[in-house]
Amino acid sequence: MNSREDILGRVRAHLNRNEINAVAGRAAIKTTLAAREQGPRPAVASEKSALAGRLVEKSLAQSSTVDTVSTVAEAPAAVARYLAGLNLSGKAVVWPSLAALDWNSAGIATEARGAQDVDLVGITGCFCAVAETGTLMLCGSSVTPATVSLLPETHIAIVPTSRIVPGMEEGFALARTELGQLPRAINFISGPSRTGDIEQTIVLGAHGPYRVHLILVTDE
């Protein structure tokens, strides 16, 4: 038994959950979630182009940078241009789910694995992107390890415009629909890491990447 199963097992025991009443309990939870009413929300247009425009606007406001390509096959070249423009290393760690892209032809040496403290550039995709706040929603798994977006100084995210949703409510609804069970880790990333703890002066890269760069893929 791993730690997660141990903790959830204790929660189930405290709630008197067992195999007999578990089905009814899950049904009750789903009914409650389906019946909930949302509070007031800012208006966000639902058209694909409007969502992409809002995401770009809010991402730039969060100190991210943004590039656009037509297909995901063009992403490695876009990554190479970005790294070269900042005189950054052409060596990166990537999500295993992105390993099949032609990184070598773009001149980028990649390793498909979780990031370590020596990795300076991390390349990820995203589960979806939230237009309302310019936020990336990443769901951790064996092929989408969370460390790739958290440890390197530079985080580059490949974002299909088809995966842009209006708000976090739609992001969680999409996760429940597509994943069934929420993953162990969900990370919401809104621009580079920052803090204002010291004399209320904003410092980037305090607890994570100094840079966040989005590559929007319009035809995906």
Side-chain angles (χ1 to χ4, degrees):
M1 177 182 294
N2 59 36
S3 297
R4 182 175 186 272
E5 292 172 344
D6 178 51
I7 293 171
L8 293 179
R10 280 183 277 163
V11 171
R12 283 192 291 269
H14 182 75
L15 295 174
N16 295 316
R17 284 278 188 263
N18 54 51
E19 293 183 2
I20 297 175
N21 63 28
V23 175
R26 292 191 190 98
I29 291 172
K30 290 181 179 179
T31 299
T32 299
L33 290 174
R36 74 193 186 283
E37 295 183 3
Q38 293 186 8
R41 295 176 54 185
V44 178
S46 58
E47 294 82 6
K48 182 177 178 180
S49 60
L51 288 175
R54 177 67 175 260
L55 179 71
V56 170
E57 175 190 352
K58 293 299 181 179
S59 296
L60 294 176
Q62 297 278 9
S63 300
S64 296
T65 52
V66 182
D67 192 6
T68 302
V69 297
S70 296
T71 67
V72 71
E74 300 173 49
V79 171
R81 288 194 302 271
Y82 172 73
L83 295 177
L86 294 175
N87 293 318
L88 297 175
S89 169
K91 182 178 179 181
V93 59
V94 303
W95 274 0
S97 62
L98 298 173
L101 293 177
D102 192 1
W103 301 106
N104 288 334
S105 294
I108 302 174
T110 60
E111 293 185 38
R113 55 171 173 76
Q116 302 171 0
D117 57 355
V118 296
D119 294 311
L120 299 180
V121 178
I123 305 171
T124 73
C126 71
F127 178 76
C128 66
V130 178
E132 180 184 337
T133 55
T135 300
L136 302 175
M137 179 177 178
L138 278 63
C139 295
S141 73
S142 60
V143 293
T144 59
T147 53
V148 179
S149 67
L150 299 175
L151 289 180
E153 294 180 351
T154 300
H155 172 208
I156 301 171
I158 300 172
V159 183
T161 55
S162 61
R163 300 295 294 185
I164 303 175
V165 297
M168 288 190 180
E169 292 85 350
E170 287 80 11
F172 274 112
L174 188 64
R176 292 190 182 96
T177 298
E178 293 188 355
L179 304 178
Q181 179 177 327
L182 294 180
R184 181 176 181 179
I186 296 178
N187 291 300
F188 290 95
I189 299 172
S190 301
S193 169
R194 68 193 69 207
T195 183
D197 292 344
I198 302 174
E199 297 183 353
Q200 297 184 348
T201 300
I202 297 298
V203 177
L204 299 183
H207 309 294
Y210 291 89
R211 310 172 191 88
V212 174
H213 182 62
L214 279 60
I215 298 177
L216 300 186
V217 182
T218 60
D219 289 348
E220 295 295 319

Coordinates of all heavy atoms in Angstrom, one line a residue, residues 49-92:
S49 N -11.3 31.9 -31.2 CA -10.4 33.0 -31.4 C -10.4 34.0 -30.3 O -9.4 34.5 -29.9 CB -10.7 33.7 -32.7 OG -12.1 34.3 -32.7
A50 N -11.6 34.2 -29.7 CA -11.7 35.1 -28.5 C -11.0 34.5 -27.3 O -10.4 35.2 -26.5 CB -13.2 35.3 -28.2
L51 N -11.2 33.2 -27.1 CA -10.5 32.5 -26.0 C -9.0 32.6 -26.1 O -8.3 32.9 -25.2 CB -10.9 31.1 -25.9 CG -12.3 30.8 -25.4 CD1 -12.6 29.3 -25.5 CD2 -12.5 31.3 -24.0
A52 N -8.5 32.4 -27.3 CA -7.0 32.5 -27.6 C -6.5 33.9 -27.3 O -5.5 34.1 -26.7 CB -6.7 32.1 -29.0
G53 N -7.3 34.9 -27.8 CA -6.9 36.3 -27.6 C -6.9 36.7 -26.1 O -6.0 37.4 -25.7
R54 N -7.9 36.2 -25.4 CA -7.9 36.5 -24.0 C -6.8 35.8 -23.2 O -6.1 36.4 -22.3 CB -9.3 36.0 -23.4 CG -9.4 36.2 -21.9 CD -9.5 37.6 -21.4 NE -9.7 37.8 -20.0 CZ -10.9 38.0 -19.5 NH1 -12.0 38.2 -20.3 NH2 -11.1 38.2 -18.2
L55 N -6.5 34.6 -23.6 CA -5.3 33.9 -23.0 C -4.0 34.6 -23.2 O -3.2 34.8 -22.3 CB -5.2 32.5 -23.6 CG -4.1 31.6 -23.0 CD1 -4.3 31.3 -21.5 CD2 -3.9 30.3 -23.8
V56 N -3.8 35.1 -24.5 CA -2.6 35.8 -24.8 C -2.5 37.1 -24.0 O -1.5 37.4 -23.4 CB -2.5 36.1 -26.3 CG1 -1.4 37.1 -26.6 CG2 -2.3 34.9 -27.1
E57 N -3.6 37.8 -23.9 CA -3.7 39.1 -23.2 C -3.3 38.9 -21.7 O -2.5 39.6 -21.1 CB -5.0 39.7 -23.3 CG -5.2 41.0 -22.5 CD -6.7 41.4 -22.4 OE1 -7.5 40.9 -23.1 OE2 -7.0 42.3 -21.6
K58 N -3.9 37.9 -21.1 CA -3.7 37.7 -19.7 C -2.3 37.1 -19.4 O -1.7 37.3 -18.4 CB -4.8 36.8 -19.1 CG -6.2 37.4 -19.1 CD -6.2 38.7 -18.2 CE -7.5 39.3 -18.1 NZ -7.5 40.5 -17.2
S59 N -1.8 36.3 -20.3 CA -0.5 35.7 -20.2 C 0.6 36.7 -20.2 O 1.5 36.7 -19.4 CB -0.3 34.6 -21.2 OG -1.1 33.5 -21.1
L60 N 0.4 37.7 -21.1 CA 1.4 38.8 -21.2 C 1.3 39.6 -20.0 O 2.4 40.1 -19.5 CB 1.1 39.6 -22.5 CG 1.3 38.9 -23.8 CD1 0.9 39.9 -24.9 CD2 2.8 38.5 -24.0
A61 N 0.1 39.8 -19.4 CA 0.0 40.6 -18.2 C 0.6 39.9 -17.0 O 1.0 40.5 -16.0 CB -1.5 40.8 -17.9
Q62 N 0.8 38.6 -17.1 CA 1.4 37.8 -16.0 C 2.9 37.6 -16.2 O 3.6 36.9 -15.5 CB 0.8 36.4 -16.0 CG -0.7 36.3 -15.6 CD -0.9 36.4 -14.1 OE1 0.0 36.7 -13.4 NE2 -2.2 36.3 -13.7
S63 N 3.5 38.4 -17.2 CA 4.9 38.3 -17.6 C 5.3 37.1 -18.3 O 6.5 36.8 -18.4 CB 5.8 38.5 -16.3 OG 5.5 39.8 -15.7
S64 N 4.4 36.3 -18.9 CA 4.8 35.3 -19.8 C 5.0 35.9 -21.1 O 4.7 37.0 -21.4 CB 3.6 34.2 -19.9 OG 3.4 33.6 -18.6
T65 N 5.6 35.1 -22.0 CA 5.7 35.5 -23.4 C 5.0 34.4 -24.3 O 4.8 33.3 -23.8 CB 7.2 35.5 -23.9 OG1 7.9 34.3 -23.5 CG2 7.9 36.7 -23.2
V66 N 4.6 34.8 -25.5 CA 3.8 34.0 -26.3 C 4.2 34.0 -27.8 O 4.6 35.0 -28.3 CB 2.3 34.4 -26.3 CG1 1.4 33.5 -27.1 CG2 1.8 34.5 -24.8
D67 N 4.2 32.8 -28.4 CA 4.5 32.6 -29.8 C 3.3 31.8 -30.4 O 2.7 31.1 -29.6 CB 5.8 31.9 -30.0 CG 6.3 32.0 -31.5 OD1 5.6 32.7 -32.3 OD2 7.3 31.4 -31.8
T68 N 3.2 31.8 -31.7 CA 2.1 31.0 -32.3 C 2.6 30.2 -33.5 O 3.4 30.8 -34.3 CB 1.0 32.0 -32.8 OG1 0.5 32.7 -31.6 CG2 -0.2 31.2 -33.4
V69 N 2.2 29.0 -33.6 CA 2.5 28.1 -34.8 C 1.3 27.5 -35.2 O 0.3 27.5 -34.5 CB 3.6 27.1 -34.4 CG1 4.9 27.7 -34.0 CG2 3.1 26.2 -33.3
S70 N 1.3 27.0 -36.5 CA 0.1 26.4 -37.0 C -0.1 24.9 -36.6 O -1.2 24.5 -36.3 CB 0.2 26.4 -38.6 OG 0.2 27.8 -39.0
T71 N 1.0 24.2 -36.5 CA 0.9 22.7 -36.1 C 1.9 22.4 -35.1 O 2.9 23.1 -34.9 CB 1.2 21.8 -37.4 OG1 2.6 22.0 -37.7 CG2 0.3 22.2 -38.5
V72 N 1.6 21.3 -34.3 CA 2.5 20.9 -33.3 C 3.9 20.5 -33.8 O 4.9 20.6 -33.1 CB 1.9 19.8 -32.4 CG1 1.9 18.5 -33.2 CG2 2.6 19.6 -31.1
A73 N 4.0 20.1 -35.1 CA 5.3 19.7 -35.7 C 6.2 20.9 -35.8 O 7.4 20.8 -35.8 CB 5.0 19.1 -37.0
E74 N 5.6 22.2 -35.8 CA 6.4 23.4 -35.8 C 6.9 23.8 -34.5 O 7.7 24.7 -34.4 CB 5.6 24.5 -36.5 CG 5.1 24.2 -37.9 CD 4.2 25.3 -38.4 OE1 4.5 26.5 -38.2 OE2 3.1 25.0 -38.9
A75 N 6.5 23.2 -33.4 CA 6.8 23.6 -32.1 C 8.3 23.5 -31.8 O 8.9 24.5 -31.2 CB 6.0 22.8 -31.0
P76 N 9.0 22.4 -32.2 CA 10.5 22.4 -31.9 C 11.2 23.6 -32.5 O 12.1 24.1 -31.8 CB 10.9 21.1 -32.5 CG 9.7 20.2 -32.4 CD 8.6 21.1 -32.7
A77 N 10.9 24.0 -33.7 CA 11.6 25.1 -34.3 C 11.3 26.4 -33.6 O 12.2 27.3 -33.4 CB 11.2 25.2 -35.8
A78 N 10.1 26.5 -33.1 CA 9.7 27.7 -32.3 C 10.4 27.8 -31.0 O 10.9 28.8 -30.5 CB 8.2 27.7 -32.1
V79 N 10.6 26.6 -30.4 CA 11.4 26.5 -29.1 C 12.8 26.9 -29.4 O 13.4 27.7 -28.6 CB 11.3 25.1 -28.5 CG1 12.3 24.9 -27.4 CG2 9.9 24.8 -28.1
A80 N 13.4 26.4 -30.5 CA 14.8 26.7 -30.8 C 14.9 28.2 -31.0 O 15.9 28.8 -30.6 CB 15.2 26.0 -32.1
R81 N 14.0 28.9 -31.7 CA 14.1 30.3 -31.9 C 14.0 31.1 -30.6 O 14.8 32.1 -30.4 CB 12.9 30.8 -32.8 CG 13.0 30.4 -34.3 CD 12.1 31.2 -35.1 NE 10.7 31.0 -34.7 CZ 9.9 30.1 -35.1 NH1 10.3 29.2 -36.0 NH2 8.6 30.0 -34.7
Y82 N 13.2 30.7 -29.7 CA 13.0 31.3 -28.4 C 14.3 31.2 -27.6 O 14.8 32.2 -27.1 CB 11.8 30.7 -27.7 CG 11.7 31.2 -26.2 CD1 11.3 32.5 -26.0 CD2 12.1 30.4 -25.2 CE1 11.2 32.9 -24.6 CE2 12.0 30.8 -23.9 CZ 11.5 32.1 -23.6 OH 11.4 32.5 -22.3
L83 N 14.8 30.0 -27.5 CA 16.1 29.8 -26.8 C 17.2 30.6 -27.4 O 18.0 31.2 -26.6 CB 16.4 28.3 -26.7 CG 15.4 27.4 -25.9 CD1 15.8 25.9 -26.0 CD2 15.2 27.9 -24.5
A84 N 17.4 30.5 -28.7 CA 18.5 31.3 -29.3 C 18.3 32.8 -29.1 O 19.3 33.5 -28.9 CB 18.5 31.0 -30.8
G85 N 17.1 33.3 -29.1 CA 16.9 34.7 -28.9 C 17.3 35.2 -27.6 O 17.6 36.4 -27.4
L86 N 17.4 34.3 -26.6 CA 17.8 34.7 -25.2 C 19.2 34.1 -24.9 O 19.6 34.2 -23.7 CB 16.8 34.1 -24.2 CG 15.4 34.8 -24.3 CD1 14.4 34.1 -23.3 CD2 15.4 36.3 -23.9
N87 N 19.8 33.5 -25.9 CA 21.1 32.9 -25.7 C 21.1 31.8 -24.6 O 22.0 31.7 -23.8 CB 22.2 34.0 -25.3 CG 22.5 34.9 -26.5 OD1 22.6 34.5 -27.6 ND2 22.6 36.2 -26.2
L88 N 20.0 31.1 -24.6 CA 19.9 30.0 -23.7 C 20.3 28.7 -24.3 O 20.4 28.5 -25.5 CB 18.4 29.9 -23.2 CG 17.9 31.1 -22.5 CD1 16.4 30.9 -22.2 CD2 18.6 31.3 -21.2
S89 N 20.6 27.7 -23.4 CA 21.1 26.4 -23.9 C 20.1 25.7 -24.7 O 18.9 25.8 -24.4 CB 21.5 25.6 -22.6 OG 21.7 24.2 -23.0
G90 N 20.5 25.0 -25.7 CA 19.6 24.2 -26.5 C 19.4 22.8 -26.0 O 19.1 21.9 -26.7
K91 N 19.6 22.6 -24.7 CA 19.4 21.4 -24.0 C 18.2 21.5 -23.1 O 18.1 22.5 -22.3 CB 20.7 21.0 -23.2 CG 20.6 19.7 -22.5 CD 21.9 19.4 -21.8 CE 21.8 18.0 -21.0 NZ 23.1 17.7 -20.3
A92 N 17.3 20.5 -23.2 CA 16.1 20.6 -22.4 C 15.6 19.3 -22.0 O 15.9 18.2 -22.6 CB 15.0 21.3 -23.2

